[in-house]
Amino acid sequence: MPFQRRQRFSFQRSSRSERHHRGSRLGPRATDGQEFDLDGSVFLLNDGGKVRSDSDFIFYNNKTSSDGSVSHNGDNRSGEGDGDDETVDINLSQVPADVDKIAVCVTIHEGGTRGQNFGQVSKAYIRVLNKDGGSEIARYDLSEDASTDTAMIFGEVYRNGSEWKFRAVGQGYQGGLGPLAQNYGVNV
């Protein structure tokens, strides 16, 4: 199901499964020849929008959350091959009660020093799959121009009462991974 920016959906209404797989595909446009290294990351956030500790920042150097609810499946540095470039597994039934939101982000590694930004990235999307059956239950294609941004908040999984929902965000962020992580309360 394709989504537009700020559109939402309920996991409970779309799937009985609590285990979901988040995948993304990012295709760089032709540039000066330097390769793009696009990195997926996830932040487990409390009701104040901050991580409870630095271990709530899941990325290529911290692949599993301390509670085991989120796991990053590795860094694809080239973007080569078919399918999703980077994937994250989220088991909503294991997410601690004091986590209200899960921010799903992508950054361009060394984008600032290489002169790279999301305005040079084509075919960027995030999708949510039912882990048990593999069916796609949500997809957000980033079509808006984020010409100077080197980090992007693609989407959020958040609690709404007793159910989990997904919101397509599509918000660009300046400065790359470090400033983005600091914004969420990570000590960088």
Side-chain angles (χ1 to χ4, degrees):
M1 171 188 325
F3 274 75
Q4 301 297 318
R5 188 174 180 188
R6 295 187 185 94
Q7 191 172 355
R8 305 160 195 246
F9 87 96
S10 169
F11 281 100
Q12 279 75 1
R13 293 183 189 150
S14 64
S15 166
R16 294 186 187 268
S17 175
E18 291 291 318
R19 297 172 7 153
H20 296 352
H21 178 80
R22 191 274 309 167
S24 61
R25 178 82 180 161
L26 303 147
R29 294 183 188 156
T31 62
D32 64 1
Q34 290 192 69
E35 289 187 13
F36 278 65
D37 181 8
L38 298 134
D39 296 318
S41 57
V42 174
F43 298 88
L44 300 176
L45 307 171
N46 62 23
D47 62 356
K50 303 293 183 187
V51 295
R52 298 166 304 158
S53 72
D54 289 351
S55 65
D56 285 344
F57 171 32
I58 297 86
F59 67 120
Y60 55 85
N61 278 339
N62 178 35
K63 292 184 181 175
T64 305
S65 62
S66 59
D67 53 57
S69 65
V70 177
S71 56
H72 187 292
N73 297 314
D75 184 15
N76 178 345
R77 292 177 182 236
S78 69
E80 296 295 321
D82 294 329
D84 298 327
D85 288 341
E86 294 197 13
T87 61
V88 173
D89 292 328
I90 302 172
N91 187 332
L92 296 174
S93 66
Q94 290 183 351
V95 175
D98 59 345
V99 171
D100 287 342
K101 185 179 355 178
I102 302 167
V104 180
C105 306
V106 177
T107 56
I108 302 173
H109 182 70
E110 297 179 349
T113 60
R114 294 179 179 183
Q116 298 172 337
N117 57 61
F118 276 98
Q120 299 167 314
V121 176
S122 64
K123 300 178 186 171
Y125 69 77
I126 179 176
R127 65 186 186 143
V128 180
L129 305 173
N130 179 321
K131 180 78 171 172
D132 294 333
S135 61
E136 184 175 285
I137 55 178
R139 179 187 183 104
Y140 172 50
D141 292 303
L142 182 69
S143 59
E144 297 176 30
D145 183 31
S147 60
T148 62
D149 297 316
T150 57
M152 181 72 58
I153 303 166
F154 266 71
E156 297 172 337
V157 178
Y158 65 98
R159 289 186 200 267
N160 183 18
S162 63
E163 66 180 319
W164 285 99
K165 293 189 173 189
F166 172 81
R167 171 180 33 241
V169 176
Q171 178 184 341
Y173 201 89
Q174 290 289 318
L177 185 60
L180 179 65
Q182 288 174 327
N183 179 63
Y184 286 127
V186 176
N187 294 312
V188 179

